[in-house]
């Protein structure tokens, strides 16, 4: 298990974490970012820069967001392991756990 991006990132996506990742393994969906479970090297550099504390080591994800551990794995089922998020940009989709989150009022 590796690091996971949980619910607080949804509809925030300021991408501060992306700047810190030495292996470019934080991928962008429509409403959230996702950490690749096999490409992440567990360095922890992304965790302290997240302004909304969305990033957790998988075993430490609060119970209320436990589904996000699965979301960060399953998001990559079709994509495989591209070995680089920045070249792909916004993948314009989300895992169903993220897509089911209520859209904030504007
Ligand atoms: S720093 Fe936090 S809120 Fe910003 S994109 Fe990364 S996980 Fe999402
Ligand atoms: S723990 Fe390190 S390798 Fe994993 S997503 Fe964060 S910055 Fe990238």
């Amino acid at each position: 298990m590796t690091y996971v991006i949980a619910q607080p990132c949804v509809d925030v996506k300021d991408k501060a974490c992306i700047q810190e990742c030495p292996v470019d393994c934080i991928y962008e969906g429509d409403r959230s970012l996702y950490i690749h479970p096999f490409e992440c090297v567990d360095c922890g550099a992304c965790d302290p820069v997240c302004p909304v504390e969305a990033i957790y080591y998988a075993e430490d994800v609060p119970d209320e967001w436990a589904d996000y551990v699965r979301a960060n794995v399953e998001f990559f089922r079709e994509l495989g392991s591209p070995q680089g998020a920045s070249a792909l940009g916004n993948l314009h989709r989300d895992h169903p756990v993220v897509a089911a989150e209520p859209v904030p009022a504007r």
Side-chain angles (χ1 to χ4, degrees), residues 5 8-9 12-18 33 46 49-52 54-55:
I5 294 179
C9 180
V12 175
K13 266 183 55 174
D14 72 307
K15 303 185 186 175
C17 54
I18 286 178
L33 272 65
C46 54
V49 302
C50 178
V52 292
I55 303 175

Side-chain angles (χ1 to χ4, degrees), residues 47-63:
D47 182 349
V49 302
C50 178
V52 292
E53 296 186 31
I55 303 175
Y56 295 87
Y57 191 65
E59 290 179 358
D60 300 328
V61 173
D63 288 347

Side-chain angles (χ1 to χ4, degrees), residues 2-5 17-26 34-36 39-47 55 57:
T2 57
Y3 280 77
V4 166
I5 294 179
C17 54
I18 286 178
Q19 315 298 324
E20 303 299 323
C21 183
V23 294
D24 193 18
C25 73
I26 305 177
Y34 301 82
I35 293 176
H36 198 296
E39 295 177 3
C40 172
V41 295
D42 288 1
C43 71
C46 54
D47 182 349
I55 303 175
Y57 191 65

Side-chain angles (χ1 to χ4, degrees), residues 33-101:
L33 272 65
Y34 301 82
I35 293 176
H36 198 296
F38 303 124
E39 295 177 3
C40 172
V41 295
D42 288 1
C43 71
C46 54
D47 182 349
V49 302
C50 178
V52 292
E53 296 186 31
I55 303 175
Y56 295 87
Y57 191 65
E59 290 179 358
D60 300 328
V61 173
D63 288 347
E64 61 186 313
W65 300 324
D67 282 349
Y68 279 80
V69 177
R70 181 168 61 85
N72 279 252
V73 173
E74 294 177 353
F75 183 76
F76 297 99
R77 275 204 178 140
E78 293 172 21
L79 196 61
S81 185
Q83 305 284 331
S86 55
L88 299 180
N90 190 330
L91 294 162
H92 295 295
R93 62 183 175 84
D94 281 299
H95 186 275
V97 167
V98 171
E101 293 287 352

